[in-house]
Amino acid sequence: MAQKIYNTKTRRKEVLQPLHEGAIGIYVCGITAYDLCHIGHARAAVVFDVIFRHLKARGYQVTYVKNFTDIDDKIIERAGREGVTTGQLSERYIRLHDEDMAALNVLTPTVTPKATEHMAEMIELIKMLEQKGIAYEADGDVFFGVDRYPAYGGLSGRKLDDMMAGARVDINDKKRNPLDFVLWKKSKEGEPSWDSPWGKGRPGWHIECSAMSRRYLGDTFDIHGGGEDLVFPHHENEAAQSEAATGKPFARYWLHNGFVKINAEKMSKSLGNTFSIRDMISRYHPEVLRLFMLQSHYRSPVDFSEDSLKEARAALIRGYTALQALKEAKKQAGNQDVGGQRESGSDEAGRWDEFVSKFDMALDDDFNTAQALGYVFEAARQANQIAAAGKKMPDAALRAQLDIAAGAFVHFGNVLGVFQSDPDEFFMADRSIEAGKSGLDVSWVEMMIAKRQKARDDKDWTLADDIRKELADKNIMLKDSAGRTVWSVD
RNA sequence: GGCGGCAUAGCCAAGUGGCUAAGGCAGCGGUCUGCAAAACCGUUAUUCUCCGGUUCAAAUCCGGAUGCCGCCUCCA
């Protein structure tokens, strides 16, 4: 089945037809490096990471470019406040960004260019626009004249006249049209600046993405992505300046992810209701955050709350429980080949092929991770079943089934970027995070469990149950299994 | 004021013309267990905000109403 993709530009789901057979170029707007990344950045990163992973799993050769904006007003402002250079400030936040992404299991894109390293490319584009009479200089600033580009507004579905009616256009005497936007900005005294044909200055926000996508992907490329708040003005302006300069189509498919909301309200810097990634992953396993993002379709808004994370954690635990069951069954079945029924696995193999194929098809349909996860959980139920059967009847056929099931989960995990830990390690990490949150003393818990184990050995069920209850009052759940007791915080 | 999106069980959330409306959480009954937990089996929406229309057939298409949200200003 062909890959389908919702294109913001046409507002329709379309079949993805790459410019070059078998290869796909993606450009995604990354962060402006002046502050910690928040969970909104995490959503965009995870969404495009899964798109990247799925397209690669489908055999495409994917070139994924995600930029860093390392020069802009906010960076200058903050660096000035902290008494460091803009370079020092942006380097610091790029490093923290990279750490956050690594923690979230986000693959590093193919290219991660920085704006300040592409001044020549930006200046060249601006010169092209100036030569075509689309850009004009005014006292050291260079503007893009929206009147000279008839297709302006095509991406975001607006008309120039309608926008003029809106009150929120800034007053700037240098602009011929209030909707014109800056390509090159004259620097003030003491600000970082670069030499250009228009004097010392720095690039406008939009031109960097036009320049870097052009350099790494070409004038025309397949997919351009970002958060939906970038549709206007950022992407509209990018498309306008690129197409006007090169005379060729820019991105062919535009993908925009929905917002993360807090209490049904948009999370944003200006509202002051952001949560940083590092704060969240200190309180939940990073895969919980990933699963939370992937449980909804990427274009829908998601409402972030303590409860929604708890539900995502419960779901993740369900998946890992199945993986652990497979692992245990495999261990037990390991060397106990009792032979026979070697053909019995074929129906089972077909069932697992179907899980995998449905999973892949869900992602083929505009990256429907929510639907794909539905199949993952159906597979988890099936895994639990064969793991239980495998413990009772450890023959070669069942062993093969366990391998097939485990293989399917490797595929699900690799594409979604979850289930990347060994189950035991996952449960240990989860336990440690939860114990930390409720201020539990781990050694005390383990001492109590040892005490209860002794009571159980003595068949002193009253004492054993009292200890279970005492721990349960602290939300500690015990699970007795062959020879040992494992615990978790509920 | 202009433009756009969403409304599915107690909660979260897929499904965009036709099989029994995925899946997760929570709940209930059962199996298993010293007791539990987990797991497994069964169960929980005759119905998809409301009102009209198109169609042999609509949660799904069209029109209208109501409610919520986003963009138009830096923002993933």
Side-chain angles (χ1 to χ4, degrees):
Chain A
M1 190 173 113
Q3 180 69 49
K4 287 190 193 149
I5 185 168
Y6 180 88
N7 191 349
T8 304
K9 187 166 187 164
T10 57
R11 296 169 200 281
R12 286 214 314 255
K13 230 189 253 184
E14 301 176 9
V15 172
L16 174 66
Q17 289 175 314
L19 199 55
H20 305 289
E21 178 79 30
I24 292 178
I26 307 181
Y27 186 93
V28 173
C29 293
I31 60 155
T32 299
Y34 75 104
D35 202 353
L36 285 177
C37 290
H38 55 64
I39 50 177
H41 296 114
R43 184 174 195 196
V46 167
V47 161
F48 286 103
D49 184 51
V50 171
I51 290 171
F52 183 35
R53 288 167 181 261
H54 176 247
L55 292 175
K56 285 203 295 186
R58 279 307 208 186
Y60 290 105
Q61 189 184 318
V62 185
T63 304
Y64 175 24
V65 182
K66 178 179 161 181
N67 73 295
F68 288 108
T69 299
D70 60 348
I71 184 67
D72 96 318
D73 291 352
K74 293 185 296 296
I75 295 173
I76 293 170
E77 189 271 329
R78 185 151 179 168
R81 199 146 38 91
E82 297 190 11
V84 297
T85 67
T86 53
Q88 286 167 331
L89 188 89
S90 60
E91 279 305 318
R92 179 164 96 221
Y93 285 109
I94 287 171
R95 197 182 67 244
L96 293 170
H97 163 275
D98 288 346
E99 286 173 15
D100 289 342
M101 293 303 127
L104 287 174
N105 251 316
V106 169
L107 299 177
T108 304
T110 322
V111 190
T112 56
K114 299 186 183 84
T116 56
E117 292 171 3
H118 298 80
M119 286 297 160
E121 288 89 339
M122 291 190 241
I123 289 168
E124 190 195 335
L125 267 181
I126 299 171
K127 275 160 70 180
M128 287 163 75
L129 289 166
E130 203 176 31
Q131 279 158 18
K132 292 192 176 187
I134 292 161
Y136 60 92
E137 193 209 332
D139 185 31
D141 287 341
V142 183
F143 296 98
F144 182 94
V146 293
D147 298 329
R148 305 299 311 278
Y149 180 67
Y152 191 75
L155 176 64
S156 54
R158 308 155 198 253
K159 298 185 186 78
L160 277 177
D161 293 347
D162 293 341
M163 285 188 279
M164 295 299 275
R168 286 168 155 182
V169 287
D170 63 339
I171 310 298
N172 185 328
D173 291 342
K174 294 184 188 174
K175 289 184 184 178
R176 292 178 189 166
N177 181 319
L179 292 169
D180 289 350
F181 55 92
V182 70
L183 296 165
W184 188 262
K185 198 168 177 173
K186 181 181 179 179
S187 55
K188 297 188 188 110
E189 196 57 37
E191 284 182 347
S193 64
W194 286 261
D195 288 324
S196 80
W198 316 281
K200 284 190 178 297
R202 61 189 147 92
W205 174 35
H206 317 295
I207 196 71
E208 61 172 276
C209 291
S210 288
M212 292 187 278
S213 61
R214 181 168 186 241
R215 160 134 178 215
Y216 297 103
L217 299 172
D219 289 339
T220 303
F221 58 94
D222 298 301
I223 299 172
H224 192 128
E228 67 172 319
D229 49 352
L230 297 180
V231 175
F232 189 89
H234 185 51
H235 290 162
E236 187 71 58
N237 292 353
E238 248 187 272
Q241 66 202 185
S242 285
E243 295 193 346
T246 66
K248 294 177 195 159
F250 187 50
R252 304 169 67 235
Y253 305 91
W254 290 86
L255 258 69
H256 294 97
N257 65 274
F259 289 127
V260 175
K261 300 197 298 178
I262 306 282
N263 299 324
E265 201 174 37
K266 180 185 171 180
M267 187 185 73
S268 76
K269 289 273 169 63
S270 46
L271 290 170
N273 58 351
T274 61
F275 288 84
S276 73
I277 294 174
R278 44 194 59 216
D279 180 39
M280 289 324 303
I281 60 183
S282 71
R283 302 201 297 119
Y284 288 94
H285 191 285
E287 290 189 357
V288 171
L289 202 53
R290 261 192 102 102
L291 199 67
F292 167 70
M293 306 293 184
L294 299 176
Q295 275 177 323
S296 306
H297 186 90
Y298 76 89
R299 279 188 280 117
S300 310
V302 292
D303 206 345
F304 185 84
S305 68
E306 202 65 30
D307 283 350
S308 58
L309 279 189
K310 280 181 184 161
E311 285 195 5
R313 172 175 172 251
L316 186 66
I317 286 174
R318 179 162 168 80
Y320 268 112
T321 300
L323 287 181
Q324 194 173 39
L326 286 175
K327 186 185 163 189
E328 295 287 317
K330 181 77 193 305
K331 215 189 288 172
Q332 286 191 26
N335 297 308
Q336 301 177 41
D337 192 349
V338 297
Q341 298 188 20
R342 283 174 193 282
E343 297 306 310
S344 69
S346 57
D347 282 356
E348 192 60 29
R351 198 198 308 247
W352 284 91
D353 284 347
E354 198 178 327
F355 283 137
V356 169
S357 137
K358 283 181 166 174
F359 173 89
D360 287 336
M361 284 196 290
L363 295 177
D364 283 346
D365 187 9
D366 194 28
F367 313 106
N368 193 335
T369 54
Q371 188 174 62
L373 275 169
Y375 298 122
V376 171
F377 287 110
E378 282 182 20
R381 173 173 294 118
Q382 186 63 18
N384 283 322
Q385 278 180 29
I386 63 174
K391 280 185 180 177
K392 287 178 188 155
M393 297 183 291
D395 65 24
L398 279 162
R399 273 218 311 275
Q401 290 180 14
L402 294 172
D403 286 340
I404 290 169
F409 274 91
V410 168
H411 177 69
F412 301 150
N414 284 157
V415 174
L416 299 177
V418 295
F419 306 137
Q420 301 293 293
S421 297
D422 174 85
D424 291 312
E425 284 169 22
F426 167 78
F427 286 112
M428 198 183 300
D430 178 71
R431 205 184 300 140
S432 138
I433 291 169
E434 293 295 325
K437 272 196 289 193
S438 37
L440 283 172
D441 181 347
V442 173
S443 58
W444 177 79
V445 174
E446 278 166 2
M447 186 270 286
M448 292 299 279
I449 288 173
K451 194 170 150 193
R452 175 168 170 275
Q453 185 56 46
K454 188 167 181 309
R456 292 182 71 217
D457 292 342
D458 296 343
K459 297 208 188 297
D460 184 351
W461 306 124
T462 312
L463 178 58
D465 288 349
D466 284 348
I467 293 172
R468 176 192 288 288
K469 191 165 183 313
E470 186 179 347
L471 293 172
D473 288 343
K474 297 183 188 300
N475 286 329
I476 298 162
M477 306 306 293
L478 301 182
K479 180 181 167 193
D480 296 328
S481 56
R484 63 179 181 144
T485 297
V486 295
W487 60 283
S488 61
V489 184
D490 194 24

